[in-house]
Amino acid sequence: MGARLLCLCLLTALLGYYIYSPLPEELAQPWTVMLTSAALRALGHLSEAAELLGLMHYMEGLRLITVVELVAPTSDENVTVTDTELSGVPIRLFLPRRAPGGLRRAVVFFHGGGWCLGDAGMHGYDLVSRRISNELNAVVVSVNYRLAPPHHFPAQFEDVYSVTKFFLQSKVLSQYGVDPARVCVAGDSAGGNLAAAVAQQLLEDPEVKTKLKAQVLIYPALQALDLDLPSYRDNAEKPLLPRSLMVRFWSEYFTSDPALREAMASNRHVPAEAGHLLPLVNWSRWLPAEMRKAHAYAGPAAGGAELARRYPGLLDPRAAPLLAREPRLRRLPRTFILTCEHDVLRDDGAMYAGRLRHAGVPVTHLHAKDAFHGAVTFLAWPLELAVGHRLLSACVDWLRENL
């Protein structure tokens, strides 16, 4: 009996040690965040073990997150929801039921998940799209692009670009009763990356006549040149996106070759020949002082040219929108950017806001000091957070005024 009690106490202590992680005092609902982070960390460790044993790829294990969150396309009294295709790409379509009173707004939405995970049918994304559609009386096209692995860049970009370009055709907009002057692209995390890249590429496409009215970028990933920004240092071990996982997402976007992942982890993946691009992501210039803090700037150490030659997406603005030059940036539509203090991607969004402002683009930058990566999709039990509802409301309110 005594031995059993001792074992129980030890197991309880180990479980508590595993679940507990120190969190900043200002972080909203820390225990919910801590429990969620522990569950994701456990799944990550199991996925690592399965990969080492040759049972499955690491990302296949993590996709359990997607599977358990999937919900069927269910219509309600406000919105008709269907799974269909546009331009041969799967989408989840949200059509408001109430009378439009004229032509409607439209939002083309790209989910997050590091280009490797996620689905428009996940509960959180379904709720985000449903709420945008209902509150703004807007058509929402939520895109299920291909994922890595096995599909690497530019497959994800090609899918979302194909859907957006198809949707922007006059006959398609007319079919859904959409005002061509009130179309927006939006996305979170990797989806924010894709939204920014699509908005830029549309400017260069002579076949596209309809111009975007706005873009909404929710804690977007925007560059892979420097993975030692202050936000990567400050939040290297924070939930729910530690630096190691973000490095894995970036490397898997381009390839499953571990050589790139190892080079990125040490921030030695940029060839000396790409040095002319570093001023575009120089955080000592583009970050506000409160985000620079006491950090000293040191650009990434020069790596060999071989990785960049094999994986040119590293230096492609379609994969890293922060690498776009100012002449392209100044033609972009009005922009809403949400960043979170406790997020490795904080500085990507903040730098993009700074560069867009410098280029003369109207920018609204909302920085949530009590939030973390992924907060906007924490909308329903057991992962419901008040901060998620608050931040989504801010996005919807901005769209109501600007779209």
Side-chain angles (χ1 to χ4, degrees):
M1 182 66 180
R4 290 180 180 177
L5 181 60
L6 178 60
C7 288
L8 180 61
C9 290
L10 287 172
L11 286 172
T12 302
L14 286 171
L15 182 62
Y17 177 79
Y18 190 83
I19 291 175
Y20 178 77
S21 54
L23 297 176
E25 292 182 1
E26 67 271 21
L27 195 68
Q29 294 172 252
W31 278 103
T32 302
V33 177
M34 194 180 299
L35 290 170
T36 305
S37 178
L40 294 178
R41 198 163 61 249
L43 180 59
H45 290 157
L46 290 172
S47 300
E48 287 176 349
E51 185 173 55
L52 286 171
L53 292 171
L55 300 177
M56 65 176 66
H57 190 280
Y58 176 73
M59 291 300 171
E60 291 180 295
L62 286 191
R63 282 179 192 151
L64 181 61
I65 302 167
T66 301
V67 173
V68 300
E69 273 275 294
L70 285 177
V71 294
T74 305
S75 302
D76 58 31
E77 66 275 14
N78 298 313
V79 181
T80 299
V81 183
T82 54
D83 283 347
T84 182
E85 290 187 355
L86 283 183
S87 192
V89 179
I91 65 163
R92 180 161 289 192
L93 182 64
F94 298 79
L95 298 174
R97 287 180 179 266
R98 67 179 183 272
L103 294 176
R104 289 189 168 101
R105 303 173 173 100
V107 176
V108 185
F109 188 88
F110 313 131
H111 68 77
W115 309 279
C116 301
L117 316 174
D119 193 285
M122 291 177 70
H123 197 190
Y125 290 117
D126 184 89
L127 289 174
V128 167
S129 297
R130 191 180 297 267
R131 184 169 164 189
I132 292 172
S133 180
N134 180 40
E135 293 195 21
L136 299 181
N137 201 18
V139 175
V140 177
V141 177
S142 189
V143 184
N144 268 328
Y145 51 87
R146 288 170 289 172
L147 301 174
H151 305 289
H152 302 288
F153 175 83
Q156 293 82 344
F157 171 80
E158 290 172 345
D159 283 356
V160 297
Y161 190 77
S162 176
V163 169
T164 307
K165 183 174 178 177
F166 183 87
F167 185 71
L168 288 175
Q169 294 178 92
S170 297
K171 62 181 181 181
V172 179
L173 295 174
S174 177
Q175 175 185 344
Y176 292 108
V178 171
D179 185 342
R182 305 177 81 187
V183 182
C184 164
V185 289
D188 75 309
S189 193
N193 166 286
L194 294 168
V198 165
Q200 290 184 12
Q201 190 65 27
L202 287 171
L203 299 173
E204 312 300 328
D205 193 333
E207 297 179 358
V208 178
K209 306 304 180 185
T210 302
K211 305 298 182 185
L212 293 177
K213 179 72 176 294
Q215 59 176 339
V216 172
L217 312 178
I218 300 170
Y219 30 76
L222 297 170
Q223 62 85 35
L225 254 68
D226 190 351
L227 301 181
D228 190 39
L229 306 176
S231 58
Y232 275 91
R233 301 175 193 175
D234 293 341
N235 302 299
E237 303 299 331
K238 298 270 183 74
L240 301 166
L241 184 65
R243 182 183 186 273
S244 58
L245 181 56
M246 192 61 229
V247 167
R248 185 72 189 256
F249 280 145
W250 267 120
S251 63
E252 288 290 346
Y253 190 25
F254 301 117
T255 176
S256 292
D257 180 356
L260 179 60
R261 181 166 73 249
E262 292 163 7
M264 283 183 147
S266 60
N267 212 33
R268 294 176 177 271
H269 56 289
V270 179
E273 296 80 2
H276 65 285
L277 297 173
L278 293 178
L280 303 176
V281 297
N282 183 336
W283 58 262
S284 68
R285 176 182 180 185
W286 296 114
L287 280 184
E290 61 269 21
M291 291 185 183
R292 296 196 303 267
K293 302 177 183 175
H295 293 289
Y297 178 75
E306 179 61 19
L307 286 174
R309 186 188 64 78
R310 280 155 51 193
Y311 311 114
L314 274 170
L315 309 178
D316 191 328
R318 295 176 303 164
L322 256 171
L323 300 186
R325 299 288 183 174
E326 186 164 317
R328 176 184 281 194
L329 295 185
R330 68 169 64 109
R331 297 158 56 204
L332 286 168
R334 64 190 68 182
T335 302
F336 177 92
I337 298 176
L338 169 66
T339 56
C340 298
E341 179 66 22
H342 308 289
D343 179 6
V344 293
L345 298 180
R346 176 193 71 202
D347 295 349
D348 281 21
M351 286 197 295
Y352 202 44
R355 290 199 59 212
L356 289 175
R357 284 199 187 101
H358 189 265
V361 177
V363 178
T364 299
H365 176 201
L366 173 62
H367 182 61
K369 293 188 176 182
D370 62 342
F372 56 92
H373 192 85
V376 167
T377 53
F378 280 60
L379 300 173
W381 189 91
L383 301 179
E384 184 171 10
L385 293 175
V387 67
H389 288 284
R390 189 187 83 225
L391 296 178
L392 178 57
S393 292
C395 297
V396 172
D397 290 345
W398 186 88
L399 283 169
R400 186 178 289 111
E401 294 179 7
N402 292 275
L403 182 61

